[in-house]
Amino acid sequence: MEPRSGCPINATIEVIGDKWTLLVLRDVMFGNRRHFRELLAGSEEGIASNILSDRLKRLVAAGLLSRDDAKPGQKAEYRLTEPAIQLVPVMAALGSWGLRHRPTTERLRVRAELLEQGGPQLWAEFMDELRESHLGTTLPKRSGPRASQRLAAAYEAAMAKNR
């Protein structure tokens, strides 16, 4: 699909400017949800199955997700592509903006806070992990807990606090 203009912002918005598209990418990226049913059942916002199906098709067509064809009796798996992985800083920036300017809940703001505090170094580490798990590249050696482990631990701590 050709963008309406040659403006880079417009070209980007035409691909990811829809709220459901960004939320599907968020759930694959940060929730490691790779199958249709996981994305449908795990949606905090209650995405409808027809909308999810449409957005997954659009994301595959736009080159932000790849879809492994399922054999009979298997579920199709969606994986992030490199262009989608490079959206991590954009997602972090959106989360930071939301922290400051929109009402949020403690339980759901914790990852955005950690991404904001960790900055570009954490984003780069997380992107490397996504490349490993979605693209099969070798993860660079690092000491200490992985970025995904830190994000998951922060989320779990917030969940436990709200129980």
Side-chain angles (χ1 to χ4, degrees):
M1 179 171 112
E2 286 293 314
R4 289 181 211 163
S5 74
C7 171
I9 293 172
N10 173 68
T12 303
I13 288 171
E14 286 188 17
V15 175
I16 64 166
D18 169 81
K19 75 174 180 178
W20 292 116
T21 300
L22 284 169
L23 294 175
V24 169
L25 284 171
R26 176 204 64 192
D27 289 350
V28 175
M29 192 177 285
F30 297 104
N32 197 31
R33 298 184 187 126
R34 297 186 188 212
H35 301 97
F36 183 89
R37 293 277 171 224
E38 290 174 328
L39 288 160
L40 188 64
S43 171
E44 286 276 341
E45 294 77 17
I47 191 168
S49 61
N50 62 323
I51 294 172
L52 175 58
S53 178
D54 178 70
R55 292 323 182 272
L56 288 168
K57 286 176 189 168
R58 288 181 190 203
L59 285 164
V60 169
L64 294 177
L65 291 179
S66 65
R67 182 183 187 269
D68 291 346
D69 289 326
K71 296 177 178 116
Q74 292 182 329
K75 300 182 261 182
E77 182 177 9
Y78 294 92
R79 294 176 183 266
L80 297 169
T81 62
E82 181 61 27
I85 291 168
Q86 290 180 22
L87 286 171
V88 166
V90 173
M91 299 296 253
L94 286 170
S96 292
W97 187 90
L99 288 171
R100 279 188 267 310
H101 302 291
R102 305 301 302 161
T104 59
T105 62
E106 186 176 347
R107 177 176 69 87
L108 295 176
R109 66 185 283 131
V110 66
R111 285 187 187 138
E113 290 171 340
L114 188 59
L115 285 166
E116 183 177 67
Q117 292 162 7
Q121 181 178 347
L122 178 63
W123 308 341
E125 289 175 31
F126 185 61
M127 290 166 63
D128 284 342
E129 285 184 46
L130 291 172
R131 288 183 183 102
E132 178 187 52
S133 65
H134 288 264
L135 305 177
T137 60
T138 304
L139 186 66
K141 295 278 186 208
R142 290 205 166 91
S143 60
R146 295 174 134 205
S148 60
Q149 291 170 324
R150 296 192 311 258
L151 289 166
Y155 182 74
E156 289 302 318
M159 292 285 289
K161 205 169 161 182
N162 288 322
R163 288 185 187 139

